[in-house]
Amino acid sequence: MTDSPTPPLLRATGLWKSFGDREVLRGIDLDLAQHDVVALIGPSGSGKSTLLRCLGLLEPIDDGQIFLGDEDISDPRVDANGIRARFGAVFQSFNLFPHLSVLDNVTLASRVVHRMPRREAEERAHALLGRIGLADKAKEHPDRLSGGQQQRAAIVRAIATDPEVLLLDEITSALDPELVGEVLELVRDLTADGATILMATHEMAFARDVADRVVFLDDGVIVEQGPPAQLFGAPESARTRAFLARFTP
Ligand code: ADP
Ligand code: MG
């Protein structure tokens, strides 16, 4: 037996990304081990969404490498759709398909991408919807659900295919304050189930509570990262301190 640490499930090295002449990611190195829950914090425009999108192959990178397991998924020869199917992603604005029922939203990827038989996909979807108290909404269209219910359905859709990594991009920031709690509660349940999660968030109390590690991104670079107690309690960088000061009540 060796005592070498578990190899990362997701690893980014030297990621660079520009839009036009604006350098949005400037040399990002980031590791997630399996079951890691990592909160990505930073000012608006710091590159959080871009980083999540690049990692999930939803946006091409200009330089660097991304590994999922031991596979270089930034290699242009990979089957990008096959790789994307190994991630679950949820974004800020409710991105359920409006013309599909909640059930069809949740089962679509399982049936179409993963070729799961409809019966099996629907059984699984009903079980997941039941778990989050939306069993009776399965046949409804998304516009009949509250924002919090829609976002929980979007999370269930993202986990229906058993993704290896969940990418959550400020999934509560478009919600009315009274609906934030139920969505965060579901994320907390997923962390208890052992999900591997990278989440951009402004919910500092939640990040402190559930994240194994907090990463502070500013102007396209990781300024500082560490366990929540360290990053929130004793930030090393003046930039981190200045950012966090805005959240102190
Ligand atoms: P954050 O999620 O931290 O608020 P983003 O990753 O959304 O930051 O954006 C980082 C920067 O990249 C911003 O200046 C934003 O305007 C720019 N940006 C993001 N997406 C695009 C795009 N598709 N085209 C051009 N500029 C973009
Ligand atoms: Mg963003």
Side-chain angles (χ1 to χ4, degrees), residues 48-50 92 169-170:
K48 302 180 296 296
S49 297
T50 303
Q92 174 174 339
D169 192 2
E170 297 197 26

Side-chain angles (χ1 to χ4, degrees), residues 37 39 41 204-215 224-236 240-241 244:
V37 177
I41 64 170
M204 297 300 158
F206 184 69
R208 180 191 280 261
D209 211 27
V210 307
D212 301 305
R213 188 154 39 102
V214 181
V215 172
E224 182 168 356
Q225 59 178 308
Q230 180 191 315
L231 196 120
F232 291 121
E236 285 170 9
T240 316
R241 286 196 294 274
L244 292 175

